[in-house]
Amino acid sequence: MTIYQEVILDHAENPRNTGNIQNPTNTVIVYNPLCGDKIKMDVLIKKDRVIDVRFQGQGCAISKAASSLLTDWVKGKTKEVLKNMTKKDMMKLLKIELGPNRIKCALLPLEALQKLLI
Amino acid sequence: MLNPDTIKKDFPIFKNIPELIYLDSTATSLKPKIVIDKLREYYETYSANIYRGIYHLSERATEEYEKTREIIVSFIHAKSSEEVIFTRNTSESLNLLCYSLGEEIIKKGDEIATTIMEHHSNFVPWQQLLIKKGGKLAVIKLDKDGGLDVLHLEKYISKKTKILCLTYVSNVLGVANEIKKIIQNAKKINPSIITIVDAAQAVPHRKVDVQDLGCDFLAFSSHKMLGPTGVGVLWGRKTLLDAMPPFLYGGEMISEVHVRNTKFKETPHKFEAGTPAIAEVIALKEAVRYLEKVGLKEIENHEQKLASYAIKRLGDEFKNLHVIGPKNAENKGGIVSFYFKKYHPHDVAQILSEKNICVRAGNHCAMPLHEELNLTATVRASFYLYNTQSDVDALIDGLHDVSRILK
């Protein structure tokens, strides 16, 4: 099965939740130097709940799609829920299987999110 | 004429995976049956440690091991077997030099010259040594055509330059540097400069003659030249090796050990501490024999033909694709690196992989070069003696699929 499913390609080509948040609660930049991927992510949190999250970045289709899908999913969730998100949860969101060399592309936005919630 | 279809039959992996399109021999080559058989022969018929056993099996293993050293001597035209050291890989060969030679001769304020197109293994050891010692790394840049800026060597090399370390063939650009001329010119500027050649991408693909090149040291890996993994070679001039201290201490490299002092063996054994990769060294000679039987000139021509064909089709059929490196390098090996403006190299490689096409995507352990070119990553296709024109056709078809899928 190809990992370039329609959902992935759609989110890679038209990523949701891009841009900046005016007065973010927190902001972070994460890198994957080997691929040259870079994601800047802003979050707005009120009463321990994610109200908004936005990202900007460059990278492969998988990292872009992962950022887009993740930022869609996290809105409205509590910090507690998001802090406990695992690699497995991230893969469920993407609905594809990735080999060991590619999985880090999908996990980069999760790394950004979890750094934002610290 | 080299016939890759016949050659493919000598490589069992193509029988097991007939649809395999392997375009990553620059990372590691596939292995012919005779090499795999030789590994098995050692383990099944004379599996013993070398040098130490006074019994037949050990003597046979020692003979087979040392025979490889002799074969390497004639393969690269060394003067004697004392000049050929077995290591784990090219990286270890270069690190051995950095620790045993660099540590000894580099003092504060000294310089080492290298090039922007080095693999990390011929860049980082020297960079780190100089940070520690307080010296300077001079990096030979690219000229406007994308080759090495060798016309202005005096910009990079002076009497302060103790070592020049450079790659023979770039593992990204595929360009073969004019090693002989560069070394001659470097020695004109500084006659006592020590020259080190990373020949990991040269020895598998072209005839290399260390005496003709005029270098002082040369390093390469078995696994890139049809041989087993876990073996590297370091060739060096005997007078220089004699003067160098050991790199690793341990078994097999000593002649006498007392409570207060130790005497070391002579080169090459002085540099081969511990039980080496016996089976792998033994099998390496079958790889050399195979390469010599096919003919290195034939291999070189075959790879160039495939690379030219690939470059032409890439240029003709893809508007948004760029091949990096000198456009008209006469002396180019079978390596083609490129990028699409719109698609990330990892996505390109992933889609190709779904069609059983193996290419490399990333910075190919040459980050300084990618930075210099202002790129984060490229896709690299590399060719060897078992690749056919239809492998290139499959690559091109695969890239058309990439354009269709990623739009």
Side-chain angles (χ1 to χ4, degrees), chain B residues 204-231:
Chain B
H205 307 280
R206 58 180 60 224
K207 186 70 199 153
V208 170
D209 179 328
V210 290
Q211 295 189 53
D212 180 56
L213 289 178
C215 53
D216 296 309
F217 295 97
L218 184 129
F220 56 98
S221 293
S222 154
H223 74 97
K224 293 190 199 286
M225 53 186 283
L226 313 183
T229 56
V231 182

Side-chain angles (χ1 to χ4, degrees), chain B residues 106-375:
Chain B
I106 297 295
K107 305 276 179 283
K108 194 171 182 204
D110 284 344
E111 296 190 6
I112 293 175
T114 187
T115 84
I116 194 72
M117 62 170 76
E118 296 308 309
H119 187 283
H120 295 158
S121 63
N122 199 26
F123 196 91
V124 182
W126 309 113
Q127 177 200 56
Q128 293 300 310
L129 176 71
L130 290 165
I131 289 170
K132 193 168 127 192
K133 297 271 183 172
K136 190 186 139 195
L137 186 66
V139 183
I140 303 173
K141 295 289 183 69
L142 301 179
D143 63 17
K144 61 174 176 11
D145 298 321
L148 268 191
D149 181 24
V150 288
L151 293 176
H152 305 99
L153 269 191
E154 66 287 346
K155 261 171 43 189
Y156 310 100
I157 293 170
S158 71
K159 291 269 197 273
K160 278 197 279 187
T161 315
K162 291 275 162 44
I163 297 171
L164 165 65
C165 44
L166 78 169
T167 188
Y168 196 151
V169 175
S170 159
N171 72 321
V172 180
L173 306 170
V175 59
N177 296 313
E178 290 181 82
I179 296 291
K180 189 176 175 177
K181 211 162 105 190
I182 296 170
I183 287 174
Q184 279 171 353
N185 290 339
K187 292 211 172 186
K188 269 184 211 153
I189 301 169
N190 179 4
S192 62
I193 196 167
I194 288 173
T195 56
I196 297 167
V197 177
D198 171 358
Q201 302 300 345
V203 169
H205 307 280
R206 58 180 60 224
K207 186 70 199 153
V208 170
D209 179 328
V210 290
Q211 295 189 53
D212 180 56
L213 289 178
C215 53
D216 296 309
F217 295 97
L218 184 129
F220 56 98
S221 293
S222 154
H223 74 97
K224 293 190 199 286
M225 53 186 283
L226 313 183
T229 56
V231 182
V233 175
L234 173 65
W235 168 84
R237 286 187 194 280
K238 183 167 179 302
T239 46
L240 291 167
L241 292 172
D242 284 342
M244 282 160 51
F247 168 46
L248 299 169
Y249 301 106
E252 304 292 5
M253 53 77 68
I254 44 88
S255 62
E256 286 173 45
V257 181
H258 307 285
V259 174
R260 301 279 169 227
N261 61 71
T262 294
K263 276 189 185 158
F264 307 117
K265 278 187 184 162
E266 300 293 320
T267 178
H269 306 293
K270 167 168 89 171
F271 297 104
E272 293 179 7
T275 297
I278 301 172
E280 289 79 0
V281 169
I282 287 172
L284 167 59
K285 66 174 158 298
E286 296 303 331
V288 174
R289 284 174 174 149
Y290 189 89
L291 288 172
E292 287 190 318
K293 200 177 84 191
V294 177
L296 281 147
K297 193 70 210 164
E298 293 277 314
I299 294 171
E300 189 186 340
N301 291 343
H302 175 69
E303 289 175 22
Q304 267 179 5
K305 226 167 56 193
L306 291 180
S308 307
Y309 176 67
I311 290 170
K312 174 146 197 336
R313 285 201 64 186
L314 291 171
D316 288 350
E317 297 176 37
F318 298 90
K319 282 204 184 72
N320 53 357
L321 181 150
H322 302 267
V323 175
I324 63 168
K327 291 283 164 294
N328 298 314
E330 289 163 20
N331 212 3
K332 209 169 142 109
I335 298 173
V336 180
S337 294
F338 57 90
Y339 65 96
F340 285 94
K341 274 218 172 98
K342 280 170 65 186
Y343 317 136
H344 194 286
H346 282 184
D347 292 323
V348 175
Q350 184 91 46
I351 292 171
L352 291 176
S353 150
E354 287 166 7
K355 291 157 202 317
N356 301 304
I357 302 168
C358 309
V359 295
R360 176 89 184 260
N363 57 48
H364 324 303
C365 301
M367 233 166 146
L369 176 67
H370 280 77
E371 266 182 11
E372 180 78 1
L373 298 170
N374 224 349
L375 297 167

